[in-house]
Amino acid sequence: MSELFGTLSDGTGVHRWTLERAGTRVRVLTYGGIVQSVEVPDREGRTADVVLGFAGLDGYLSHPEPYLGALVGRYANRIGGARFTLDGVTRPLAANNGPNSLHGGERGFDKRVWDAQPVEHGVRLTRVSPDGEEGFPGRLEVSATYTLDASGALRIAYEAVTDAPTVVNLTNHSYFDLGGGTGPTGHELRLAASRYTPVDADLIPTGALENVTGSRFDFRTARDVGTGYDHNFVLDKGVTDSPEEVAELHDPVSGRLLTIATTEPGLQVYTADHLGAPFTPNAGIALETQHFPDSPNRPDFPSTELRPGGVYRSETVYAFGVRVQGPA
């Protein structure tokens, strides 16, 4: 089901699609591919929205930088020095995060209106990113398909093709609060990640893959997330053809449980320490499935290159449930 959600200053209409199945209700906007809300029950059967969002379009237009619920690209996360070299050609990008390019530049995929078509139990968003958009080479045809499966899990499947060599790295930037408005304090996180990518002062990976043992980055056993994280974790499974479980977030108070499965090799944990008004810092936790930051400048990282004739595919599943008691 779709409805008009708002209108941009140029008269372009933005629509909201509502997906509902097995006790889960998800609302997706054609503006930025934004997941506006995800409503699921707690252990007592009380339903609440577990992602941060705005009630109206003006909120997203006035506060774009948190990327609330957005589909970010062409390149999710940071590219160091706002440039990369591909096939001997250096490509300058917009430096919209200090000296770096972040989430696709000044006007990335999160600030574009996507075309929408219904699919079984969901909606498929499409757009064409022209050659040179935000400095990225190649005409890129992109789709993101949002569906709810029989259990009420939200599945986001991305595909892209290009007519020239380029780089692609897409993700969803939802901030989770499984308490449904109480904040994620006390949320417990488990990650299937034995390593992470340390960063410099500008949050660009140093190139090392550091072992998490004995450090605050060790979430292999579930524990309180806390704060102070904006880091990429190296998932033990690597790149896979189908989604594999890599993360679990649990709110002991409500009992709500989020399990994430993905085809991606990395996951960015951002505890929203710098989340600005109208939200308070640490009001949600972003868990962004991805290839590693700055991969176009790190040939030893899993490649984000896409060439003509190839197909970029990425898929992430967000499954919701409840735990009656504490962590198993």
Side-chain angles (χ1 to χ4, degrees):
M1 180 183 74
S2 69
E3 60 188 323
L4 185 66
F5 184 69
T7 305
L8 300 181
S9 59
D10 65 0
T12 302
V14 172
H15 289 80
R16 178 171 70 179
W17 289 73
T18 299
L19 319 180
E20 192 164 4
R21 196 178 188 196
T24 301
R25 181 186 295 119
V26 176
R27 291 186 171 94
V28 179
L29 307 182
T30 55
Y31 179 78
I34 289 170
V35 174
Q36 182 202 14
S37 64
V38 176
E39 297 171 72
V40 292
D42 66 6
R43 66 162 66 94
E44 304 297 332
R46 296 170 297 203
T47 297
D49 185 6
V50 297
V51 297
L52 303 187
F54 293 106
L57 180 59
D58 287 347
Y60 294 101
L61 299 178
S62 302
H63 302 88
E65 287 191 0
Y67 303 92
L68 293 183
L71 193 174
V72 291
R74 282 189 197 189
Y75 198 93
N77 218 307
R78 294 170 176 84
I79 295 179
R83 65 182 59 245
F84 68 96
T85 301
L86 181 61
D87 294 343
V89 179
T90 298
R91 302 287 184 172
L93 308 170
N96 63 324
N97 181 246
N100 308 313
S101 176
L102 175 66
H103 292 331
E106 296 286 355
R107 191 173 176 223
F109 288 1
D110 61 294
K111 300 176 183 68
R112 308 284 180 171
V113 177
W114 295 63
D115 294 328
Q117 302 84 31
V119 298
E120 187 175 14
H121 302 302
V123 61
R124 183 173 184 258
L125 303 184
T126 58
R127 74 175 298 263
V128 174
S129 175
D131 178 32
E133 184 173 76
E134 294 296 317
F136 291 93
R139 178 184 185 273
L140 194 74
E141 299 179 22
V142 192
S143 70
T145 304
Y146 303 68
T147 55
L148 293 180
D149 69 16
S151 70
L154 172 62
R155 183 180 300 265
I156 306 180
Y158 310 91
E159 286 194 3
V161 294
T162 183
D163 66 357
T166 192
V167 296
V168 185
N169 187 28
L170 307 179
T171 195
N172 175 265
H173 206 294
S174 289
Y175 292 81
F176 294 97
D177 168 15
L178 297 183
T182 62
T185 300
H187 279 28
E188 298 164 342
L189 178 66
R190 179 178 59 80
L191 298 176
S194 302
R195 297 175 295 171
Y196 76 102
T197 51
V199 293
D200 62 20
D202 292 320
L203 298 180
I204 298 299
T206 63
L209 303 181
E210 193 76 23
N211 194 295
V212 301
T213 302
S215 76
R216 70 185 186 95
F217 297 96
D218 193 347
F219 287 97
R220 291 173 295 180
T221 299
R223 63 177 178 85
D224 192 323
V225 182
T227 61
Y229 295 94
D230 193 1
H231 296 80
N232 170 67
F233 286 79
V234 179
L235 300 175
D236 293 337
K237 71 173 188 63
V239 179
T240 50
D241 291 332
S242 59
E244 294 185 15
E245 183 179 323
V246 296
E248 183 180 87
L249 186 67
H250 175 232
D251 173 28
V253 176
S254 70
R256 291 189 184 93
L257 185 71
L258 166 65
T259 302
I260 297 178
T262 189
T263 57
E264 290 296 296
L267 186 144
Q268 186 87 4
V269 176
Y270 176 42
T271 50
D273 298 58
H274 305 290
L275 191 64
F279 298 98
T280 59
N282 311 117
I285 300 169
L287 302 171
E288 307 157 59
T289 57
Q290 61 177 12
H291 271 58
F292 305 165
D294 203 33
S295 289
N297 294 314
R298 294 284 179 181
D300 49 328
F301 285 178
S303 177
T304 56
E305 292 180 9
L306 178 65
R307 296 181 178 275
V311 181
Y312 168 90
R313 291 187 176 92
S314 176
E315 191 170 352
T316 296
V317 180
Y318 306 86
F320 301 93
V322 294
R323 182 174 285 155
V324 177
Q325 298 179 340

